[in-house]
Amino acid sequence: MTAIREAFGTLDDGSAIEAVTLSNRGGITARILTLGATLQSLHVPDREGLSADIVLGHDSAAEYLTANCFFGATIGRFANRIAGGSFRIDGRDYRIPPNDGPNALHSGAGGFHTRIWSIEHIETGPPARAIFRYHSPDGEQGFPGNLTVAASYTLDDDDRLTLEYTAVSDAPTIVSITHHSYFNLAGAASEHGALDARLTLYADSFTPIDRMMIPTGAIQAVEGTPFDFRAPIAIGARVRNGDDEQIRLARGYDHNMVLNGESGTLRPAARMDDPRSGRIVAISTTAPGMQFYSGNSLDGNVRGKQGKFYRQGDGVAFEPQHFPDSPNQPAFPGARLDPGETYRNVICFAFSSNCG
């Protein structure tokens, strides 16, 4: 196993970006950038042993800031949407700069995905590991408290890539950190999109949204809806079901799935397999929910790796996190972090392949 540190170019302001590439005996390699603690590439073998990069992204560091698609990024301080860009803690109102109509999405335009993280530690293992750190000062993007965040990427010889996010604060605040890779198990450069993959979601319910993409506060059973992935089915089978209001509102899937089992424990969240390549990814997490996103905003105008323009459905994202807008929704699991506490979110991607 190896962990190699190297330069990855510069931003327009001259800031240097580095990368750490982890590799294991099974032929998996993962490259993580200091910009946004971003997973820039993830090469995984198929059933024939042929390797391909299975995550969408860019070839240069600067493109990650101009495209603003969150490819592979660490998202924080608060992932997903906050209604009106505002929330209250202990009777005091806080406001995050809106960047999604009236709402704040992924903490606004200056979230963790735009920040340069430091490399705190790398090791060849086994397992191979890289730990990135960022200090978010009190008031950054409108959030209270000095927040110290660590993002750990670990690749082991069981073909598991495990991400662990931790954070501590010196004042009451809200925290929900997640990972935002868009996956295409057929290969990010493939002519085939991600919607042919078969998906299982370990969620009996989801949180429906309103016209502004904010949860209504209800928790709805998936049974009898296009959100029922409890048994494997192709992602594209119902993604354009115009008879379903929730699909119409999001122009596909862009919803929080309420994961089965106890929050805080590592448990299954999703399993996706690609019939062409045979690649399989099983996702587990400690988070209470997971945003399932079918890449609806990819419209062919975003230039990605190897000059490919990404279209709707070219990649799908699985974002384990607190429920969207949970600071404003008392019935949802709380996202408050107080001094003396440690926020923690573990996300594990386990890769394998089938025989066809």
Side-chain angles (χ1 to χ4, degrees):
M1 306 193 76
T2 60
I4 299 173
R5 182 173 181 171
E6 57 191 349
F8 192 80
T10 59
L11 301 180
D12 291 342
D13 65 1
S15 298
I17 303 302
E18 293 185 281
V20 177
T21 301
L22 309 178
S23 62
N24 74 353
R25 297 177 185 175
I28 295 178
T29 63
R31 179 191 286 152
I32 307 102
L33 307 181
T34 52
L35 177 62
T38 292
L39 182 63
Q40 188 269 338
S41 67
L42 179 59
H43 286 81
V44 177
D46 66 6
R47 65 164 67 96
E48 305 297 334
L50 300 176
S51 184
D53 187 358
I54 62 167
V55 294
L56 277 57
H58 300 289
D59 290 322
S60 72
E63 289 175 293
Y64 281 92
L65 295 182
T66 56
N68 199 32
C69 291
F70 311 103
F71 291 137
T74 294
I75 302 296
R77 291 186 183 192
F78 195 88
N80 217 302
R81 291 174 173 87
I82 296 177
S86 64
F87 61 94
R88 174 172 289 191
I89 297 179
D90 297 336
R92 180 176 175 181
D93 292 324
Y94 297 90
R95 183 161 175 79
I96 313 304
N99 63 331
D100 181 53
N103 306 316
L105 173 63
H106 297 329
S107 303
F112 286 174
H113 61 289
T114 69
R115 306 296 176 173
I116 299 177
W117 297 53
S118 63
I119 300 174
E120 179 180 271
H121 176 75
I122 62 172
E123 59 183 87
T124 57
R129 178 178 291 117
I131 301 175
F132 301 79
R133 186 169 295 274
Y134 178 68
H135 175 74
S136 177
D138 177 43
E140 183 175 68
Q141 293 298 104
F143 291 97
N146 292 290
L147 192 76
T148 300
V149 187
S152 172
Y153 285 78
T154 301
L155 178 63
D156 64 27
D157 268 336
D158 292 321
D159 295 340
R160 294 176 301 196
L161 180 65
T162 301
L163 286 61
E164 181 176 18
Y165 297 115
T166 58
V168 294
S169 175
D170 64 358
T173 190
I174 59 170
V175 179
S176 179
I177 304 171
T178 193
H179 180 75
H180 204 297
S181 277
Y182 292 70
F183 290 92
N184 183 354
L185 294 181
S190 171
E191 63 181 11
H192 302 289
L195 300 185
D196 291 338
R198 294 181 292 252
L199 178 64
T200 303
L201 294 177
Y202 298 91
D204 294 337
S205 54
F206 74 105
T207 52
I209 56 173
D210 62 20
R211 293 184 180 276
M212 299 305 296
M213 302 292 291
I214 298 296
T216 64
I219 294 179
Q220 181 178 339
V222 299
E223 185 172 1
T225 76
F227 297 85
D228 191 349
F229 286 89
R230 293 175 295 174
I233 187 171
I235 296 170
R238 299 172 298 203
V239 73
R240 294 181 175 87
N241 182 356
D243 293 332
D244 186 89
E245 181 187 29
Q246 289 295 305
I247 294 291
R248 293 198 306 270
L249 288 173
R251 296 178 295 124
Y253 296 106
D254 192 3
H255 294 75
N256 170 62
M257 309 304 297
V258 180
L259 298 177
N260 300 337
E262 184 179 354
S263 175
T265 63
L266 191 64
R267 64 209 191 282
R271 183 184 187 275
M272 182 170 62
D273 70 273
D274 175 58
R276 291 185 174 85
S277 67
R279 293 187 185 92
I280 299 168
V281 61
I283 305 169
S284 54
T285 185
T286 58
M290 182 181 71
Q291 191 81 1
F292 169 44
Y293 178 51
S294 52
N296 312 328
S297 64
L298 301 177
D299 58 5
N301 289 316
V302 176
R303 183 184 176 92
K305 287 180 279 193
Q306 300 180 37
K308 179 173 180 176
F309 285 91
Y310 296 134
R311 305 161 302 172
Q312 184 182 34
D314 277 352
V316 294
F318 305 93
E319 308 159 52
Q321 58 191 241
H322 279 289
F323 295 5
D325 197 39
S326 57
N328 297 312
Q329 307 259 3
F332 288 176
R336 176 171 172 147
L337 179 69
D338 285 315
E341 299 176 339
T342 299
Y343 168 88
R344 181 171 180 260
N345 185 14
V346 178
I347 306 168
C348 179
F349 301 101
F351 297 98
S352 59
S353 60
N354 59 35
C355 298

